[in-house]
Structure formats: C-alpha cells, structure tokens
Amino acid sequence: MCGIIGINSSKPVSSTIINSLKKLEYRGYDSAGIATLSKGEINEIKSEGRVDNLEKNSLVQSMEGTIGIGHVRWATHGLPNSINAHPHSSQNVSVVHNGIIENSTLLKKFLVGKGHKFKSQTDTEVIVHLITENLKTENVVNSVKKTLKALHGSFALGIIFKDEPNLIVGARRGSPLAVGYGPNENYLGSDSYALKSMTNKITYLNDGEFCIVKKDHVEFFDEEGTKVNKKVLELSSEENKYDKGDYKHFMAKEIEEQPTTLKNGINEYIDKTNNDINIYNLPWKKDEISSVTLIGCGTAYHSCLMAKYWFEHLTSLDVNVDIASEFRYRKNRFKKETLYVFVSQSGETADTYAALDLCNKNRMKTCSVVNVIESSIARDSKFVLPIHCGTEIGVASTKAFLGQILILYILALKLGLLRDDISKNLFVKKLKDLTKLPDLVKKTLMTDNKIQSISSTFNDAKGSMFLGRGFSFPIALEGALKLKELSYIHAEGYPAGEMKHGPLALIEEGMPVVVLAPRDDYYKKTISNMQEVIARGAKVLLITNKSKDEIFSENIWETIEVETTNEDLLPFLLTIPLQKLAYYSALKKGYDIDKPRNLAKSVTVE
Ligand code: F6R
C-alpha cells in the first residue's frame, strides 16, 4: 500500500517520477507528491487525489533537479489531503514512507519537546524530524541507522538530504522495497512494476536492510550498518501487457482474458504426455503431510475457502482455512505434518506475509500460490506455485481469483492422487474436464446483455444478499465482495442454509437476492432455501447451470444459466456472471471501476 519511487540521475527526474507514480497508482490514490533537490534546496509539491492532479500543477512541469523522490498515498494516519500527502520535509530532509509507525505519538512528543514543529497529521512526519534531529550530531548513515532503531512498526522509506545532493537512502522493515539499475542512473521503488519501464535489473532489500543509491552505484547495509553484498536479478519486462487495449477498464479486460489465463495455467501444470500434473518437485514426501492450512486475505481468502471444499472432496487430508490477519496473532498449534499454503495475488500483502514469516520461524512447511513470482511471499516460501495469469491491474481481483482456485484445485487433485485418495481413472477424467474449462468460461462470458439490465435493480436497492451451499458458498462470498467494493452497495454472502438463523430478517419486498444453485449435490436444498426468501418478497436472481431438467419453483425474478461441467468445476463458471454484475453496477453508477474508493491493490500495511 502506498507507492514509492526514487531516481538518482544526471538528467532532470520530475517527469520520469510522475510517469512512475502513474504506474504505482494502483497501490494508493488518495494523494500524490514529489520532492527534488535543486540549487541546494528541497522542492516539494503535493496534491490531493490522483497523480493527474499533481501533473497538472504548473510548478511540477518546471521542477528542476536530477535527484528526487515521489509517492502515491493510501491514507493510514490523517485525512487524504495535500498536507498529509508525502513527501514530508524539513529544511534538511525529505521522506516518502509506506507502512505504519506505531510509536509515532511518543516520538512526536519527544520531538516537539526539542522544538520541532509538525505540519501534518501523519505518522511519517516523525521520521523527518527524527533524522533532522540526529543529523545535528551524526553523519547521514548514522543518523538514518539511529532513526530506524527508534521506529516501531513497518516501513519502506525513500529519503533525500539537502546537504547530500548525490544520494538517496532507502530502508525497509516489513514493507517491500526494490533498487533498480539503469544507464548512469539508479532507482528506488516500492515494487518492480514501477521500475520495469526503466530497467529489468533489480535488487530487493531484505527486512532490516538499508541502502545508499548513487547515480553510478548502490551500497547495501544490514541493521547494524555493516555492508552487505546483494544479488542483481534480471526480470522479464513486457510493457505491452499492461495496456487496456480497446477495453474501457482493466477490469473488463481482465474478466474477458480469463479463458486465456486459465488455459495458460492449465498448460503450465498439466502433463498431457503422462496424464499427470507436473508438480513433481514438492520438497516433502506424501507421508510427511497429513493436513493443510490455507491462509489469505479478501478474495484470496475466498480462494482458500473454495479450496477447502476441494481438498475435502478429493483428499483425506484435514483442512483448515484462516484469514491471515487473524492467524498471525492467534495462539497457533504448529504441526510439522501440516502444509501451510499462502494465497496472494500480489505476494506482498502484509498480513499474509507476516503469517508466512511466523510459519517459517516455526520451521513449518510453507508453500505459496502467487501471481507475482518476484514478490516477498514467493521469495520466502519453501515452495511456490505461480498462477500464471499475467499482471492484474484492476483493484478488484478477477482473473487472479480464477487463477488461484485453478492452482488450488490442481494441488488438491495432485495430493489426492499421490495419497491414493482418488483413483488414477477418476484423476484422468477430472484432468480431461479441466482442459475443457477455458472454452466453457468463454461461452459463459457471453451472457452479457442480461446482466447489464439486471444490474440496475441492484443499484436501486438498499442492499442485497448472495446465497450458496457447498461449493457455491465461497463463490457467494466472492460475488458479494465484488459488488460491495465496486458499487458501494451493501451485499452479504451467506450459506443458504444459514438464512433462517437470523439473516432472513433482512429480507423485505423487492430486495435483490442472488441464489447460486448449480445442479450439484446441494441443488435441491438450495432451491428450498431460495423458496424461503421468495416467500418473503425477495427478487431472486437464480444462477444455475444449463440442464434439460426443469426448475420447479415459481416467482423467480431472473435466471442465468452458465455452461455445464462436473460439479468440481462449476464454481469457476458461477463466478463469471457475478464479476459482470459488479462491473456493470459500478459502470452504471459512474464509479471508478479500476480504482474503487478507499482501496488499493497491494495491501502492504496490516
Ligand atoms: C478484492 C481484492 C482483495 C485482495 C486482498 C488480498 O477484489 O482484490 O480482497 O484479494 O487484498 O490481496 P493479495 O491477493 O494480493 O494478497
């Protein structure tokens, strides 16, 4: 969350910083700012809202300086306005910060006592004043070292100094930070995405490290200030991947890309020659794993819930699912026969990373399912299963959700086979069905027109519910999350059988309710629950799969039929109309679909 860029060059840097900030906007878009060093002074310009607002400021156009830092903010402390926007500067120092300083109140008290004057409501400003204070007695490296030691919490920092016009300092604890290497210039970035347009040579800082970025070289230090040598990684850079093409929004493009991204995932993991799944290099023997714990946040958590049903269906493993922010502070009973699986699109989510770190510290078996293979979660897990679905820019996750559940399904199948929980025949049949999935998703994507008209009813209602049982329950949760995050409509996902235990009281005349009732083992039960909400006045949108059997229920408001496949795979197809429902609701309301209010793509604060 929040994005950092720093450039040390021999050319003016302001326009390159602005362009990089535009790329980083998916990490936060409450406000943006830039600071450069020129003529022995720190110049700082900030604005509320998007990077466009900053760019329009005529002073930015004429901003001089060959060294500078920039930031896009997702507010944690203080309102999202231009005063609280980063960089924060004193006369001597300017700082951009991702993360949260937990002891900022105490530090501020101390610094006010020393005569420092604060302008903003942010926690970040204490870092500026603390470095400024330490600079009275220490050189740059020691002042930074001393400051970092005094900070509690998490941070990625970019710092420039009035009296050191040749360097940018970067530091990391908790929040990710990368260094990039260019021709006669070097960079600092909160992720490789912002740096990719300038370089594919990257070094990631480890927790506790800091660095000095000069034009021609970069030095790295550990917490104690001892120099460390770091590897330079070469990344593949395909800029055109990030283009919206003819689509109005990245989200629309990412929804439509799903047949291709699923196909990519399937091609990567299915060994057609041997009718097998090519996860041949699991670092643990099958007898060393007796249970699986799946951990994630938001949509990734829903993927974990989905996987629980599949693992229980296809294997005899014990399965637990946890929300990362809960897991990390729970009194966990770590078991060495448990495989801990971390699911994260970005691979940088702070809570998921902390849960992984905790498992690593307890010497557990850790595996991650990620989209960004260079991410912290991928780097620090013992085994990585990439989802291969390409960069996802829309803040609301769509293709990554299908990518995550695809890989989790594949893992469940593989473990089921390895443990002899399912027969080779059944396994091969399921693989065959899986290879047909991308085409079925493609056909299901064609139910467009109906959803566009249905979405108005959701927009006019004061709330809505999404119901499902069994395999469809996690999809109901995901459908409700998509609608609330994009359309700002209250939406609840519930197991259909739970309604009578309380939530049924919410149903009133005309309330739109989505019922997911594919023809699986739960079908009849879900249809009964649907009748209970119809009887209380709900307008039911039934989502089921095509079948020659008639649906025996009256007064269904609308029905959408997805394609037909085996019951394991129906959740993929049910997801499609729900993604589109959320998309069209937000489109009709005129909301910013790729950047919904108050959210950010990569949640690097806890
Ligand atoms: C919702 C959404 C979020 C993320 C969550 C975890 O559409 O995208 O709920 O799923 O913030 O993010 P990752 O997967 O990057 O760990």
Side-chain angles (χ1 to χ4, degrees), residues 297-300 343-347 349 352 395-397 404 481-482 485 601 603:
C297 302
T299 289
V343 182
S344 174
Q345 186 284 130
S346 61
T349 299
T352 313
V395 164
S397 193
Q404 288 162 355
L481 177 62
K482 287 288 95 94
E485 68 179 325
K601 185 75 182 157
V603 187

Side-chain angles (χ1 to χ4, degrees), residues 270-277 280 417 424 427-428 431:
I270 295 194
D271 173 351
K272 287 190 184 138
T273 325
N274 296 307
N275 269 332
D276 204 346
I277 286 167
Y280 298 126
L417 181 73
K424 180 80 184 187
F427 174 84
V428 172
L431 282 194

Side-chain angles (χ1 to χ4, degrees), residues 447-464 466 482-484 486-491 510-514 539-541 543 557-560 576-591 593:
T447 40
D448 223 13
N449 292 341
K450 202 165 191 179
I451 303 174
Q452 289 198 41
S453 60
I454 287 170
S455 64
S456 308
T457 301
F458 284 80
N459 283 351
D460 297 340
K462 66 177 191 227
S464 60
F466 289 65
K482 287 288 95 94
L483 191 67
K484 54 191 150 194
L486 289 166
S487 306
Y488 320 148
I489 296 168
H490 186 79
M511 183 188 203
V513 174
V514 178
K539 259 179 133 172
V540 165
L541 163 61
I543 305 185
W557 167 53
E558 287 285 0
T559 302
I560 290 176
I576 303 296
L578 302 183
Q579 293 173 339
K580 292 208 163 195
L581 177 66
Y583 176 78
Y584 286 121
S585 303
L587 189 69
K588 286 206 173 127
K589 288 187 150 190
Y591 291 159
I593 290 181

